[in-house]
Amino acid sequence: MIDAGALIKMRRANVDAGTSSLNQPRDGGAIQVFGTPTLPAYFRSLRDDSAGGDSDGPSIGAAPADYGGIVYRNDSDYESQGVFLNYVNHADMKHGGGKVVVNSEENVYTPIHMETARPQVSHNTITYSGGAAISADPNSFDDSLGRIGPDVHRNHLSDNSVNALFVRIRTALGAPVDRLDVNGRFNDSDITHVITENLHIAGNPGGPVGTSARASGR
């Protein structure tokens, strides 16, 4: 739990819930950010001397992509049981959305980064990110167990490379393309969804359910 008024300064790092390595299971973990309208929780670059003083000595100052962000992985909280613990409310995030090495593999993360996860993301201010302000893979938009995808509303996004919820679709050479293979819906109407790659939807063609009109003689 990260309370109102807390300051977290990072450099090329994430705050990470869930399992990122098979050798270090962290299933069931959750991250909850409890900022308030008058006192948010602050996420800043280690190089940002305007928050918490000079933490890194002489430097070039804060810049977009100095750190990753908050990462929610698919086995975090108790979503499989219909219990949604992951929560980010009234966070103030600046200069995130950068490259972070996780388990010897470097990837780009966004300030709020979802991997088949459905946290509540509300009333946050995200600015000066190196990429999109918020991102999620296709299966994060699952509509099962009483929640339609992540609960995203009333966030203020400005001066990011992409002021939107970016739908990440991996197209790495030699790896399968990310697909939407759950019953999914995009229903967050107060944020733009950006899709820059073809979104493959797994399933079969739809049609009538039950006795067809032809079979009943109509």
Side-chain angles (χ1 to χ4, degrees):
M1 296 182 182
I2 301 171
D3 290 331
L7 169 62
I8 296 179
K9 300 180 75 171
M10 295 184 282
R11 179 180 177 274
R12 295 178 64 84
N14 292 327
V15 179
D16 198 311
T19 300
S20 57
S21 168
L22 295 177
N23 297 323
Q24 298 175 328
R26 297 197 306 267
D27 52 296
I31 298 170
Q32 298 177 321
V33 180
F34 293 109
T36 70
T38 57
L39 186 62
Y42 299 95
F43 293 80
R44 294 289 188 269
S45 165
L46 182 68
R47 296 170 174 166
D48 188 346
D49 297 343
S50 68
D54 186 352
S55 304
D56 67 332
S59 69
I60 60 174
D66 273 352
Y67 63 94
I70 301 175
V71 181
Y72 292 108
R73 301 188 185 275
N74 62 350
D75 63 351
S76 60
D77 72 18
Y78 290 91
E79 180 179 316
S80 61
Q81 302 174 32
V83 179
F84 299 91
L85 298 175
N86 288 324
Y87 179 86
V88 189
N89 185 73
H90 287 290
D92 185 332
M93 311 181 77
K94 184 184 289 186
H95 296 126
K99 293 181 179 180
V100 177
V101 176
V102 177
N103 300 318
S104 302
E105 182 177 347
E106 185 179 66
N107 285 304
V108 176
Y109 293 86
T110 54
I112 299 178
H113 188 99
M114 294 167 268
E115 297 190 356
T116 315
R118 296 181 285 172
Q120 179 175 323
V121 181
S122 57
H123 300 279
N124 300 293
T125 299
I126 304 175
T127 55
Y128 299 105
S129 302
I134 304 171
S135 73
D137 63 356
N139 282 348
S140 291
F141 296 92
D142 187 1
D143 68 354
S144 65
L145 299 172
R147 175 168 288 186
I148 303 171
D151 184 2
V152 181
H153 60 272
R154 296 186 179 276
N155 297 284
H156 175 73
L157 316 177
S158 66
D159 298 304
N160 304 288
S161 296
V162 181
N163 292 310
L165 196 170
F166 178 60
V167 181
R168 300 188 319 275
I169 301 171
R170 292 175 299 180
T171 56
L173 182 65
V177 174
D178 283 343
R179 304 187 306 172
L180 177 64
D181 53 18
V182 297
N183 293 325
R185 281 193 277 169
F186 299 90
N187 76 323
D188 299 301
S189 59
D190 71 346
I191 187 170
T192 301
H193 293 63
V194 172
I195 301 174
T196 59
E197 301 285 348
N198 292 331
L199 175 57
H200 293 202
I201 299 174
N204 297 309
V209 177
T211 305
S212 67
R214 181 185 296 268
S216 62
R218 296 175 185 169

